[in-house]
Amino acid sequence: NIYNTHLGKIIRTEIIDLPGTYSLNPKSIDEQVAYDVLCKKDNPDYPDTTIIVADSSNLKRTLFLVSQVIDLKIPCVLALNMIDLLEDAGMQVDTDKLSAHLGIPVVSISAREKKGMEKIRQVISEKVFPPVKKFLETDISFTDQTQENIERYRKITAVLNECVSEKKEIPAEIFTKKLDRFLTHKFWGFAIFLAVLFVIFQSIFFLAAFPMDWIETLFIKVSLWGAENLPKGELSDLF
């Protein structure tokens, strides 16, 4: 249930989670499911609105699917997820400019930190109209799928060049990146690797001495107790 502030009432919605895919050119069973739902209007699960959740750190690949959905004139919303990771890397996306280029609503979210969730609810509670224009020009004819894919990626690259830019103030380098650079160093990386192995082996032999002594003492005591208390016979010898 989603509350629509403009209408002043609660709208009941049904959410269908389709298998993840990067294009509407199905090559697996999972991708075929997404293709059947989105491309066949007679499908019982054909949606009124499609929310495409994109990895902000890998926009070019996700926008390929977005461009295909736009060309099908399917009402859709682009949710830029993990936008915080993109910003940590010193990049920023102009969502308004990207929305203008694509002709669909674009919302920045962070599912991990639950940011932008209310904006998504508000967008889908209202009527989302089909894209006003195609992503690829209608007068372009393609002789094969490869040529069309190349043209899509060419235009996607041009769009991203206009909408994605470096932040004026680049944040301090992430600690994990500093650590990775040090641990994967051509010289120190191997030295650290060997040191870690040495510590592991030494720890195993050093720490193993304690339980080994405890187990040995326990077995000696049990053997002595058995020899003194159990009756003579093959069963006692076996024990």
Side-chain angles (χ1 to χ4, degrees):
N1 295 328
I2 300 176
Y3 182 75
N4 185 298
T5 55
H6 292 165
L7 299 177
K9 65 178 182 179
I10 294 177
I11 298 176
R12 184 173 179 79
T13 59
E14 179 183 3
I15 307 296
I16 301 174
D17 184 18
L18 295 177
T21 180
Y22 283 106
S23 77
L24 293 179
N25 305 323
K27 297 179 181 178
S28 67
I29 296 177
D30 286 352
E31 292 177 334
Q32 185 67 47
V33 171
Y35 173 85
D36 290 340
V37 172
L38 294 176
C39 299
K40 299 178 180 179
K41 292 187 177 182
D42 58 345
N43 190 295
D45 293 324
Y46 186 79
D48 298 312
T49 301
T50 300
I51 303 174
I52 304 174
V53 182
D55 178 358
S56 296
S57 62
N58 192 14
L59 268 181
K60 179 178 288 189
R61 194 174 182 186
T62 309
L63 285 185
F64 185 88
L65 172 64
V66 175
S67 70
Q68 290 182 312
V69 174
I70 290 173
D71 286 348
L72 290 174
K73 295 292 185 179
I74 298 175
C76 60
V77 177
L78 175 59
L80 300 179
N81 193 23
M82 295 187 288
I83 197 69
D84 52 328
L85 298 182
L86 184 70
E87 292 175 350
D88 289 341
M91 306 297 291
Q92 62 183 2
V93 180
D94 189 329
T95 54
D96 292 335
K97 187 179 290 187
L98 183 59
S99 176
H101 275 288
L102 300 178
I104 61 173
V106 178
V107 180
S108 297
I109 66 171
S110 175
R112 183 182 60 176
E113 298 182 359
K114 299 187 184 304
K115 293 181 178 178
M117 298 297 103
E118 189 57 41
K119 183 65 180 297
I120 281 286
R121 293 190 187 96
Q122 188 59 42
V123 169
I124 63 177
S125 70
E126 301 172 357
K127 184 174 178 57
V128 179
F129 294 94
V132 295
K133 59 182 179 181
K134 279 199 167 188
F135 188 80
L136 287 183
E137 299 298 332
T138 54
D139 58 345
I140 297 179
S141 58
F142 301 101
T143 57
D144 55 35
Q145 188 65 51
T146 302
Q147 184 183 358
E148 178 184 338
N149 293 347
I150 292 174
E151 181 63 22
R152 283 190 187 279
Y153 275 119
R154 184 196 65 77
K155 188 167 182 180
I156 288 169
T157 301
V159 170
L160 290 179
N161 287 340
E162 290 192 34
C163 301
V164 181
S165 60
E166 291 187 0
K167 297 174 69 174
K168 293 182 179 179
E169 295 182 3
I170 299 178
E173 189 173 17
I174 302 173
F175 172 73
T176 54
K177 287 189 176 181
K178 293 181 180 179
L179 191 62
D180 285 343
R181 190 171 62 250
F182 182 65
L183 294 178
T184 57
H185 190 272
K186 292 181 179 179
F187 175 76
W188 293 112
F190 284 106
I192 294 171
F193 173 68
L194 294 175
V196 170
L197 287 182
F198 176 78
V199 171
I200 290 174
F201 279 108
Q202 289 299 316
S203 299
I204 290 175
F205 289 110
F206 173 74
L207 296 175
F210 294 100
M212 287 171 62
D213 291 342
W214 297 337
I215 293 171
E216 184 178 3
T217 302
L218 176 64
F219 270 83
I220 291 174
K221 290 183 177 181
V222 171
S223 298
L224 292 175
W225 178 87
E228 295 174 356
N229 296 278
L230 295 177
K232 299 296 182 181
E234 295 180 353
L235 184 59
S236 297
D237 293 340
L238 178 61
F239 176 74

